[in-house]
């Protein structure tokens, strides 16, 4: 029996991965680590083992990971300040005898990428390689869910999409496609010491995405190009913190503005203009598109169209 430990198991990614592994009959193989075990009480009824563990309290992690063969290390939410957290989990995995870490990384971790997330993921990948454990890096692109389902309602309601990406493109990916790739890596052989670029099927800019929203929903969104200073000003006005704050969401946005503005710059400079077929390679089906996520959630998105006077 190969036991799989999942960090951050009460988050969106962890919840989805757990559901899919249970559906494959792997419930008894799962060790779910969370800072809030009460949130996962139902997982015990499903046959999983739930353990308390906190990235910020390394002493809690060694016991939490004990007995696991593989780890799904889901990156923390403290963008720009999470390498120490990840190191604690990697050290605990080494001490507990874990043989293989699958890590949710980022589509481009090159030093030339100005997005602050790239630094977190680059340093974490280096730590995992230095551990001597087998590794798989799931280099996820920008989540389509984040732009369409989190930020999209605000664009629809206001009729304005402010951006500093200057028409550059990226291949946004469904979070669920990323999770399906992780599950494949954890449950099928041959992925040790491989990095996969988990992207959507099409390279698109925000103007093209806005056109899809307008066409399918009947809304009217205008994309307005601006600069980074104006992006900061917009997020400041919304009350979005510049640096990360754990478990905080403002106006539907769970991020910090240093993260988002540097992300826009990364798109603008072409650092996220990467498109691969690794979703199909890992899952046997094609990656789903931004247009498909709009259509799948059309009723929800339409509910944010302002009523006509």
């Amino acid at each position: 029996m190969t036991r799989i430990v999942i960090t951050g198991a009460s988050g969106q990614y962890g919840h989805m991965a757990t559901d899919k592994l249970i559906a494959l009959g792997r419930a008894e193989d799962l060790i779910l680590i969370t800072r809030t075990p009460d949130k996962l009480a139902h997982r015990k009824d499903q046959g999983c083992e739930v353990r308390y563990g906190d990235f910020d309290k390394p002493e809690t992690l060694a016991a939490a990971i004990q007995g696991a063969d593989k780890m799904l290390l889901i990156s923390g939410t403290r963008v720009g300040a999470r390498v120490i957290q990840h190191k604690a989990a990697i050290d605990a995995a080494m001490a507990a005898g874990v043989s293989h870490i699958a890590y949710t990384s980022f589509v481009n971790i090159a030093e030339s990428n100005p997005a602050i997330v790239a630094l977190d993921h680059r340093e974490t990948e280096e730590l995992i390689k230095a551990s001597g454990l087998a590794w798989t890096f799931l280099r996820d692109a920008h989540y389509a869910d984040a732009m369409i389902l989190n930020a999209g309602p605000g664009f629809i309601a206001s009729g304005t999409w402010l951006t500093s990406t200057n028409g550059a493109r990226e291949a946004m990916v469904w979070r669920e496609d990323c999770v399906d790739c992780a599950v494949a890596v954890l449950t099928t052989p041959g992925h040790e010491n491989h990095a996969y670029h988990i992207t959507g099927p099409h390279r698109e800019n925000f103007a093209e995405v806005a056109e899809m929203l307008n066409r399918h929903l009947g809304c009217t969104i205008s994309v307005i190009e601006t600069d980074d200073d104006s992006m900061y000003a917009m997020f400041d006005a919304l009350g979005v913190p510049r640096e990360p704050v754990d478990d905080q969401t403002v106006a539907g946005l769970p991020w910090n503005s240093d993260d988002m503005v540097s992300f826009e710059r990364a798109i603008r400079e072409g650092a996220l203009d990467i498109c691969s077929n690794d979703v199909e390679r890992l899952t046997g089906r094609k990656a789903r598109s931004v247009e498909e996520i709009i259509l799948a959630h059309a009723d929800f998105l339409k509910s944010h169209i302002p009523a006509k006077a």
Side-chain angles (χ1 to χ4, degrees):
M1 179 178 69
T2 299
R3 302 209 71 190
I4 299 168
V5 62
I6 300 176
T7 70
S10 57
Q12 283 183 289
Y13 195 113
H15 180 84
M16 200 179 294
T18 301
D19 281 345
K20 290 177 181 292
L21 287 163
I22 290 173
L24 292 174
R26 301 296 299 270
E28 293 184 358
D29 300 337
L30 299 182
I31 300 168
L32 308 179
I33 297 180
T34 176
R35 291 179 300 158
T36 52
D38 289 348
K39 290 184 179 180
L40 296 181
H42 63 292
R43 295 301 193 187
K44 295 179 183 179
D45 297 333
Q46 293 174 302
C48 307
E49 187 170 356
V50 177
R51 298 178 183 173
Y52 170 75
D54 189 337
F55 278 160
D56 294 323
K57 298 177 180 177
E59 68 277 8
T60 69
L61 295 177
I65 294 170
Q66 198 64 43
D69 303 292
K70 295 183 178 182
M71 171 188 278
L72 175 57
L73 177 54
I74 300 173
S75 55
T77 58
R78 202 177 296 161
V79 176
R82 53 190 169 175
V83 176
I84 292 175
Q85 294 179 322
H86 295 165
K87 184 178 187 303
I90 295 162
D91 289 346
M94 294 169 63
V98 169
S99 62
H100 182 188
I101 296 178
Y103 172 62
T104 61
S105 189
F106 187 51
V107 70
N108 179 3
I109 61 166
E111 290 186 13
S112 58
N113 186 345
I116 61 174
V117 296
L119 176 61
D120 286 349
H121 292 300
R122 184 167 65 250
E123 293 187 1
T124 300
E125 286 194 11
E126 290 171 356
L127 288 170
I128 293 171
K129 285 184 175 180
S131 74
L133 305 181
W135 51 266
T136 306
F137 299 142
L138 296 151
R139 292 177 175 163
D140 298 340
H142 194 184
Y143 287 156
D145 314 48
M147 291 308 297
I148 303 304
L149 304 182
N150 292 113
F155 304 148
I156 293 166
S158 68
T160 300
W161 186 335
L162 195 67
T163 178
S164 59
T165 55
N166 196 31
R169 288 179 163 78
E170 61 174 348
M172 288 190 282
V173 64
W174 285 42
R175 180 188 279 109
E176 187 174 9
D177 283 355
C178 297
V179 173
D180 283 342
C181 289
V183 169
V185 163
L186 292 168
T187 58
T188 62
H191 305 291
E192 290 83 358
N193 304 331
H194 287 283
Y196 297 104
H197 290 89
I198 314 301
T199 78
H202 306 302
R203 299 163 51 254
E204 293 149 337
N205 61 36
F206 289 165
E208 290 165 337
V209 175
E211 188 278 329
M212 290 180 209
L213 289 163
N214 292 340
R215 174 161 39 91
H216 290 300
L217 307 178
C219 57
T220 305
I221 301 171
S222 298
V223 172
I224 299 175
E225 292 287 349
T226 187
D227 58 19
D228 290 348
D229 288 342
S230 294
M231 294 298 296
Y232 270 119
M234 178 191 71
F235 290 125
D236 289 347
L238 287 171
V240 175
R242 293 205 173 194
E243 296 182 350
V245 176
D246 287 347
D247 304 318
Q248 177 169 316
T249 299
V250 178
L253 303 175
W255 315 293
N256 62 84
S257 58
D258 281 345
D259 175 21
M260 290 184 282
V261 175
S262 69
F263 213 105
E264 296 252 331
R265 179 185 168 194
I267 297 170
R268 183 174 70 240
E269 295 183 2
L272 306 192
D273 194 353
I274 295 170
C275 189
S276 87
N277 66 350
D278 282 349
V279 170
E280 184 173 9
R281 179 180 174 189
L282 288 168
T283 69
R285 61 164 179 80
K286 293 185 181 298
R288 289 169 289 187
S289 67
V290 171
E291 188 165 28
E292 287 175 282
I293 206 169
I294 292 170
L295 293 171
H297 298 275
D299 289 343
F300 164 73
L301 294 168
K302 285 179 180 178
S303 71
H304 295 277
I305 299 175
K308 293 182 179 179

